Amino acid sequence: MTLWQGKSKRKVTGGRRRYSRKKRKFEISQDFEKPVIGPEKRKLVRSLGGNQKNRVVNAEYANIADREGNVQKVEINNVLENPANPNYVQRNILTKGAKVETEIGKAVITSRPGQDGVVNAILVEE
């Protein structure tokens, strides 16, 4: 399902907004690419202005920083919790804010894998 990112038909006050034009193709957002745990795979997508976005399709590793600032490339085992959608936990979908289990402990994803093309996380102290 595509999302239209134009203005609503209604104003904030509840009145009807009269449009001078129809919907435009550049106002339609692209479908959400659901990055999952699996063998590394990325995808280049054209964005507005001919620019390119690097999207994560599958991710096996994450760059995890601890409290001291040391960063390690660590394998992701599974998704423990996802505040975006509880169903994403069962499907191992990686989004920003998802808590993942890794070899060195639990971590929270801080990057947006579907937008940035990389999985960055911070180690969680228990």
Side-chain angles (χ1 to χ4, degrees):
M1 183 180 88
T2 56
L3 295 172
W4 181 61
Q5 293 181 326
K7 290 185 178 177
S8 172
K9 284 184 182 179
R10 296 284 172 179
K11 299 178 188 177
V12 179
T13 58
R16 189 145 191 270
R17 180 178 281 128
R18 301 290 179 174
Y19 267 115
S20 59
R21 63 180 174 87
K22 295 181 180 179
K23 295 179 181 181
R24 300 287 191 250
K25 189 173 182 182
F26 63 81
E27 294 172 342
I28 296 174
S29 68
Q30 294 177 342
D31 289 335
F32 172 54
E33 191 74 45
K34 298 174 182 71
V36 294
I37 298 172
E40 294 284 326
K41 187 176 177 187
R42 286 175 172 50
K43 180 173 155 184
L44 278 175
V45 179
R46 184 189 184 275
S47 62
L48 200 63
N51 299 313
Q52 289 186 331
K53 277 185 184 177
N54 195 4
R55 291 191 169 170
V56 171
V57 179
N58 295 342
E60 197 171 1
Y61 299 98
N63 302 318
I64 298 182
D66 57 9
R67 294 293 175 194
E68 288 80 45
N70 303 323
V71 180
Q72 301 178 49
K73 186 175 180 181
V74 181
E75 189 172 351
I76 303 169
N77 294 336
N78 64 349
V79 178
L80 299 173
E81 186 180 324
N82 199 325
N85 190 339
N87 189 29
Y88 288 175
V89 177
Q90 297 166 348
R91 296 161 61 192
N92 279 336
I93 293 176
L94 304 169
T95 59
K96 183 176 178 177
K99 190 180 280 188
V100 293
E101 183 184 339
T102 63
E103 295 173 339
I104 59 172
K106 295 178 184 174
V108 175
I109 297 176
T110 56
S111 64
R112 298 170 69 191
Q115 299 271 345
D116 303 335
V118 68
V119 181
N120 294 331
I122 293 179
L123 202 60
V124 177
E125 307 285 326
E126 307 230 357

